[in-house]
Amino acid sequence: MRGYTSDKDAVLKRLRRVEGQVRGLQRMVEGDEYCIDVLTQIAAATKALQAVSLNLLDEHLKHCVADALAEGGEGADAKVREASEAIARLVRS
Amino acid sequence: MRGYTSDKDAVLKRLRRVEGQVRGLQRMVEGDEYCIDVLTQIAAATKALQAVSLNLLDEHLKHCVADALAEGGEGADAKVREASEAIARLVRS
Amino acid sequence: MRGYTSDKDAVLKRLRRVEGQVRGLQRMVEGDEYCIDVLTQIAAATKALQAVSLNLLDEHLKHCVADALAEGGEGADAKVREASEAIARLVRS
Amino acid sequence: MRGYTSDKDAVLKRLRRVEGQVRGLQRMVEGDEYCIDVLTQIAAATKALQAVSLNLLDEHLKHCVADALAEGGEGADAKVREASEAIARLVRS
């Protein structure tokens, strides 16, 4: 996130919304709401988290990875490898 | 969730933990932590939500769907269709 | 699949189409096509396989699981557990 | 894939194996094998396709995106955007 202040507020806003969704899920479970409805809301919260991930990854490629590649050398390879591993975790989560 | 009091506490506990993870994510972003580390934590929160879904779905099949199938008739078909649609949303989220 | 002859042809047709997609992918790679285009086609083949899974699972719930639940007893619990495990593998794949 | 001959053979080998898995799936369905077993094999084929995607994406970042970033300008931004979109399709497939 280093210095990506333009996006930081947007990311925080999205995360606060996810927090609200997760609290809403607790109220649904406490109120014995129908489990299919709970599942639908969990899917919505999961998609919201995924959107944050994709946003962060895009920023990461545009800034950290781009800077490392501009500098070249071993640091560049390491950054690409690290990004690829993060993508793999994202795809499998 | 209707009447599944045995599992309700466990589900609520898991959801409270996810809420804590999402609040932790906000602190990470506010503290400008490295985005790859933020991504790793988002993947963990996503997996935790997924685990809640799978748990709820298992309970749903064991109770609601099983009861509807025991009663038979059109209600049973509708319950299975509804469960299949929830599974599809889960797989695609 | 036991005896689900009505759907068997549809499932086989879908799988043959996926086979064609995977052969098309090989031709793309052999022809040095742009990797983003290859990735788009892999995503299409993956979605096609997922659709087959969701279709099979729906049939499985409607027939095998429903029959086991109608009979009741330990067999019913085992069938539901097995289906839940298959759903979990699907969600995580 | 342009010019990535070192990896091309490995990618083709993996795709041929996926083709074999999909043909095996057809035989399983034709032979009326148990649908949970068919689902397990579909999950394996899906994972294999996903591994090809992650491999291609890693190569794409290391080569195409790295080259575009080294050149700089608008082309670099476009390459990163294109890669981010491919990652999003991968995550959602």
Short mmCIF file of all heavy atoms in Angstrom, two decimals, chain A residues 44-81:
data_model
loop_
_atom_site.label_atom_id
_atom_site.label_comp_id
_atom_site.label_asym_id
_atom_site.label_seq_id
_atom_site.Cartn_x
_atom_site.Cartn_y
_atom_site.Cartn_z
N ALA A 44 -21.82 -12.67 -1.40
CA ALA A 44 -21.65 -11.25 -1.68
C ALA A 44 -20.42 -10.69 -0.97
O ALA A 44 -19.62 -9.94 -1.57
CB ALA A 44 -22.90 -10.47 -1.26
N ALA A 45 -20.23 -11.07 0.30
CA ALA A 45 -19.07 -10.59 1.06
C ALA A 45 -17.77 -11.14 0.44
O ALA A 45 -16.76 -10.42 0.36
CB ALA A 45 -19.18 -11.01 2.52
N THR A 46 -17.80 -12.39 0.01
CA THR A 46 -16.62 -13.00 -0.62
C THR A 46 -16.26 -12.27 -1.90
O THR A 46 -15.09 -11.98 -2.17
CB THR A 46 -16.91 -14.49 -0.93
OG1 THR A 46 -17.30 -15.13 0.28
CG2 THR A 46 -15.68 -15.19 -1.48
N LYS A 47 -17.26 -11.96 -2.71
CA LYS A 47 -17.01 -11.22 -3.95
C LYS A 47 -16.44 -9.84 -3.65
O LYS A 47 -15.56 -9.36 -4.38
CB LYS A 47 -18.31 -11.07 -4.74
CG LYS A 47 -18.54 -12.20 -5.74
CD LYS A 47 -19.82 -11.95 -6.54
CE LYS A 47 -20.20 -13.18 -7.35
NZ LYS A 47 -19.23 -13.54 -8.39
N ALA A 48 -16.92 -9.19 -2.59
CA ALA A 48 -16.43 -7.86 -2.23
C ALA A 48 -14.95 -7.94 -1.82
O ALA A 48 -14.15 -7.08 -2.21
CB ALA A 48 -17.27 -7.27 -1.09
N LEU A 49 -14.59 -8.99 -1.05
CA LEU A 49 -13.19 -9.16 -0.67
C LEU A 49 -12.31 -9.42 -1.89
O LEU A 49 -11.19 -8.92 -2.01
CB LEU A 49 -13.04 -10.34 0.31
CG LEU A 49 -13.31 -10.06 1.78
CD1 LEU A 49 -13.17 -11.35 2.58
CD2 LEU A 49 -12.34 -9.01 2.33
N GLN A 50 -12.84 -10.23 -2.81
CA GLN A 50 -12.12 -10.55 -4.05
C GLN A 50 -11.86 -9.29 -4.87
O GLN A 50 -10.79 -9.14 -5.45
CB GLN A 50 -13.00 -11.48 -4.86
CG GLN A 50 -12.29 -12.62 -5.50
CD GLN A 50 -13.29 -13.56 -6.10
OE1 GLN A 50 -14.16 -13.15 -6.87
NE2 GLN A 50 -13.21 -14.82 -5.77
N ALA A 51 -12.86 -8.40 -4.89
CA ALA A 51 -12.71 -7.15 -5.64
C ALA A 51 -11.59 -6.30 -5.03
O ALA A 51 -10.81 -5.68 -5.76
CB ALA A 51 -14.03 -6.39 -5.66
N VAL A 52 -11.51 -6.28 -3.69
CA VAL A 52 -10.42 -5.55 -3.03
C VAL A 52 -9.08 -6.16 -3.45
O VAL A 52 -8.13 -5.44 -3.81
CB VAL A 52 -10.56 -5.57 -1.49
CG1 VAL A 52 -9.37 -4.87 -0.83
CG2 VAL A 52 -11.86 -4.90 -1.04
N SER A 53 -8.99 -7.49 -3.45
CA SER A 53 -7.76 -8.17 -3.85
C SER A 53 -7.33 -7.79 -5.25
O SER A 53 -6.16 -7.49 -5.50
CB SER A 53 -7.95 -9.69 -3.86
OG SER A 53 -8.01 -10.19 -2.57
N LEU A 54 -8.28 -7.85 -6.18
CA LEU A 54 -7.95 -7.56 -7.58
C LEU A 54 -7.49 -6.12 -7.73
O LEU A 54 -6.57 -5.83 -8.48
CB LEU A 54 -9.15 -7.87 -8.48
CG LEU A 54 -9.49 -9.36 -8.59
CD1 LEU A 54 -10.83 -9.55 -9.29
CD2 LEU A 54 -8.39 -10.12 -9.33
N ASN A 55 -8.12 -5.22 -6.98
CA ASN A 55 -7.75 -3.82 -6.99
C ASN A 55 -6.32 -3.62 -6.46
O ASN A 55 -5.49 -2.94 -7.08
CB ASN A 55 -8.77 -3.05 -6.14
CG ASN A 55 -8.57 -1.55 -6.19
OD1 ASN A 55 -8.95 -0.86 -5.26
ND2 ASN A 55 -7.95 -1.01 -7.24
N LEU A 56 -6.02 -4.26 -5.32
CA LEU A 56 -4.68 -4.14 -4.73
C LEU A 56 -3.63 -4.72 -5.66
O LEU A 56 -2.52 -4.18 -5.81
CB LEU A 56 -4.61 -4.88 -3.39
CG LEU A 56 -5.33 -4.26 -2.20
CD1 LEU A 56 -5.22 -5.19 -1.00
CD2 LEU A 56 -4.72 -2.90 -1.86
N LEU A 57 -3.96 -5.85 -6.29
CA LEU A 57 -3.01 -6.52 -7.17
C LEU A 57 -2.72 -5.66 -8.39
O LEU A 57 -1.56 -5.54 -8.82
CB LEU A 57 -3.60 -7.86 -7.61
CG LEU A 57 -2.62 -8.86 -8.19
CD1 LEU A 57 -1.56 -9.22 -7.16
CD2 LEU A 57 -3.37 -10.11 -8.62
N ASP A 58 -3.74 -5.04 -8.93
CA ASP A 58 -3.58 -4.14 -10.07
C ASP A 58 -2.64 -2.99 -9.69
O ASP A 58 -1.70 -2.68 -10.43
CB ASP A 58 -4.97 -3.62 -10.47
CG ASP A 58 -4.92 -2.67 -11.65
OD1 ASP A 58 -4.46 -3.10 -12.72
OD2 ASP A 58 -5.32 -1.51 -11.49
N GLU A 59 -2.88 -2.39 -8.53
CA GLU A 59 -2.02 -1.30 -8.04
C GLU A 59 -0.58 -1.79 -7.85
O GLU A 59 0.38 -1.10 -8.17
CB GLU A 59 -2.55 -0.77 -6.69
CG GLU A 59 -3.82 0.02 -6.80
CD GLU A 59 -3.65 1.29 -7.61
OE1 GLU A 59 -2.67 2.01 -7.38
OE2 GLU A 59 -4.49 1.54 -8.50
N HIS A 60 -0.49 -3.01 -7.29
CA HIS A 60 0.83 -3.58 -7.02
C HIS A 60 1.62 -3.76 -8.33
O HIS A 60 2.81 -3.43 -8.40
CB HIS A 60 0.67 -4.92 -6.30
CG HIS A 60 1.96 -5.55 -5.93
ND1 HIS A 60 2.81 -5.01 -5.00
CD2 HIS A 60 2.58 -6.68 -6.38
CE1 HIS A 60 3.88 -5.78 -4.88
NE2 HIS A 60 3.76 -6.79 -5.72
N LEU A 61 0.95 -4.28 -9.35
CA LEU A 61 1.63 -4.47 -10.64
C LEU A 61 2.03 -3.11 -11.22
O LEU A 61 3.14 -2.94 -11.70
CB LEU A 61 0.71 -5.19 -11.64
CG LEU A 61 0.39 -6.66 -11.34
CD1 LEU A 61 -0.62 -7.19 -12.37
CD2 LEU A 61 1.65 -7.52 -11.36
N LYS A 62 1.10 -2.15 -11.14
CA LYS A 62 1.35 -0.84 -11.74
C LYS A 62 2.46 -0.08 -11.04
O LYS A 62 3.16 0.71 -11.66
CB LYS A 62 0.06 0.01 -11.65
CG LYS A 62 -0.79 -0.08 -12.90
CD LYS A 62 -1.85 1.00 -12.92
CE LYS A 62 -3.14 0.45 -12.33
NZ LYS A 62 -4.30 1.31 -12.47
N HIS A 63 2.63 -0.28 -9.72
CA HIS A 63 3.62 0.50 -8.99
C HIS A 63 4.82 -0.36 -8.57
O HIS A 63 5.86 -0.28 -9.19
CB HIS A 63 2.96 1.18 -7.79
CG HIS A 63 1.85 2.08 -8.22
ND1 HIS A 63 2.07 3.35 -8.70
CD2 HIS A 63 0.52 1.90 -8.30
CE1 HIS A 63 0.92 3.91 -9.05
NE2 HIS A 63 -0.04 3.05 -8.81
N CYS A 64 4.66 -1.20 -7.57
CA CYS A 64 5.82 -1.94 -7.04
C CYS A 64 6.53 -2.76 -8.13
O CYS A 64 7.74 -2.69 -8.28
CB CYS A 64 5.41 -2.91 -5.93
SG CYS A 64 4.47 -2.15 -4.63
N VAL A 65 5.74 -3.58 -8.87
CA VAL A 65 6.37 -4.45 -9.86
C VAL A 65 6.97 -3.61 -10.99
O VAL A 65 8.10 -3.85 -11.43
CB VAL A 65 5.37 -5.50 -10.41
CG1 VAL A 65 6.01 -6.38 -11.48
CG2 VAL A 65 4.87 -6.38 -9.27
N ALA A 66 6.22 -2.59 -11.43
CA ALA A 66 6.73 -1.73 -12.50
C ALA A 66 8.04 -1.06 -12.09
O ALA A 66 9.00 -1.02 -12.87
CB ALA A 66 5.68 -0.68 -12.87
N ASP A 67 8.11 -0.55 -10.85
CA ASP A 67 9.33 0.10 -10.38
C ASP A 67 10.50 -0.88 -10.35
O ASP A 67 11.61 -0.56 -10.77
CB ASP A 67 9.13 0.70 -8.97
CG ASP A 67 8.15 1.88 -9.01
OD1 ASP A 67 7.78 2.31 -10.11
OD2 ASP A 67 7.76 2.35 -7.92
N ALA A 68 10.22 -2.07 -9.83
CA ALA A 68 11.29 -3.08 -9.73
C ALA A 68 11.78 -3.47 -11.13
O ALA A 68 12.98 -3.66 -11.35
CB ALA A 68 10.78 -4.30 -8.98
N LEU A 69 10.84 -3.60 -12.08
CA LEU A 69 11.23 -3.98 -13.44
C LEU A 69 12.02 -2.85 -14.10
O LEU A 69 12.95 -3.10 -14.88
CB LEU A 69 10.01 -4.34 -14.28
CG LEU A 69 9.37 -5.70 -13.93
CD1 LEU A 69 8.00 -5.84 -14.58
CD2 LEU A 69 10.27 -6.85 -14.39
N ALA A 70 11.66 -1.59 -13.77
CA ALA A 70 12.39 -0.45 -14.34
C ALA A 70 13.84 -0.45 -13.84
O ALA A 70 14.77 -0.14 -14.58
CB ALA A 70 11.70 0.86 -13.97
N GLU A 71 14.01 -0.86 -12.57
CA GLU A 71 15.36 -0.92 -12.00
C GLU A 71 16.14 -2.13 -12.52
O GLU A 71 17.36 -2.11 -12.60
CB GLU A 71 15.29 -1.01 -10.47
CG GLU A 71 15.00 0.33 -9.80
CD GLU A 71 14.93 0.19 -8.29
OE1 GLU A 71 15.65 -0.67 -7.73
OE2 GLU A 71 14.12 0.90 -7.66
N GLY A 72 15.39 -3.19 -12.85
CA GLY A 72 16.01 -4.40 -13.39
C GLY A 72 16.75 -5.20 -12.33
O GLY A 72 16.58 -4.98 -11.13
N GLY A 73 17.54 -6.16 -12.79
CA GLY A 73 18.34 -6.98 -11.87
C GLY A 73 17.52 -8.07 -11.20
O GLY A 73 16.39 -8.37 -11.60
N GLU A 74 18.10 -8.63 -10.15
CA GLU A 74 17.45 -9.75 -9.44
C GLU A 74 16.18 -9.31 -8.72
O GLU A 74 15.25 -10.10 -8.55
CB GLU A 74 18.41 -10.34 -8.41
CG GLU A 74 19.43 -11.27 -9.04
CD GLU A 74 20.33 -11.88 -7.99
OE1 GLU A 74 19.93 -11.97 -6.82
OE2 GLU A 74 21.46 -12.27 -8.35
N GLY A 75 16.15 -8.06 -8.26
CA GLY A 75 14.98 -7.54 -7.56
C GLY A 75 13.73 -7.66 -8.43
O GLY A 75 12.65 -7.97 -7.93
N ALA A 76 13.90 -7.43 -9.72
CA ALA A 76 12.78 -7.48 -10.65
C ALA A 76 12.20 -8.90 -10.72
O ALA A 76 10.99 -9.10 -10.61
CB ALA A 76 13.21 -7.01 -12.02
N ASP A 77 13.09 -9.88 -10.88
CA ASP A 77 12.64 -11.28 -10.94
C ASP A 77 11.91 -11.67 -9.66
O ASP A 77 10.87 -12.33 -9.70
CB ASP A 77 13.86 -12.22 -11.12
CG ASP A 77 14.41 -12.16 -12.54
OD1 ASP A 77 13.76 -11.52 -13.40
OD2 ASP A 77 15.47 -12.75 -12.78
N ALA A 78 12.46 -11.25 -8.53
CA ALA A 78 11.88 -11.59 -7.24
C ALA A 78 10.48 -10.99 -7.11
O ALA A 78 9.56 -11.65 -6.61
CB ALA A 78 12.78 -11.11 -6.10
N LYS A 79 10.31 -9.75 -7.57
CA LYS A 79 8.99 -9.09 -7.49
C LYS A 79 7.95 -9.81 -8.35
O LYS A 79 6.79 -9.94 -7.96
CB LYS A 79 9.10 -7.64 -8.01
CG LYS A 79 9.61 -6.64 -7.01
CD LYS A 79 8.59 -6.36 -5.92
CE LYS A 79 9.20 -5.46 -4.86
NZ LYS A 79 8.69 -5.65 -3.55
N VAL A 80 8.40 -10.22 -9.55
CA VAL A 80 7.46 -10.93 -10.43
C VAL A 80 7.07 -12.27 -9.82
O VAL A 80 5.90 -12.65 -9.81
CB VAL A 80 8.05 -11.11 -11.86
CG1 VAL A 80 7.19 -12.07 -12.67
CG2 VAL A 80 8.14 -9.76 -12.56
N ARG A 81 8.06 -12.96 -9.28
CA ARG A 81 7.78 -14.27 -8.65
C ARG A 81 6.79 -14.09 -7.48
O ARG A 81 5.82 -14.83 -7.36
CB ARG A 81 9.08 -14.90 -8.14
CG ARG A 81 8.96 -16.42 -7.99
CD ARG A 81 10.29 -17.08 -7.62
NE ARG A 81 11.40 -16.47 -8.32
CZ ARG A 81 12.42 -15.83 -7.73
NH1 ARG A 81 12.49 -15.75 -6.41
NH2 ARG A 81 13.39 -15.28 -8.45
#
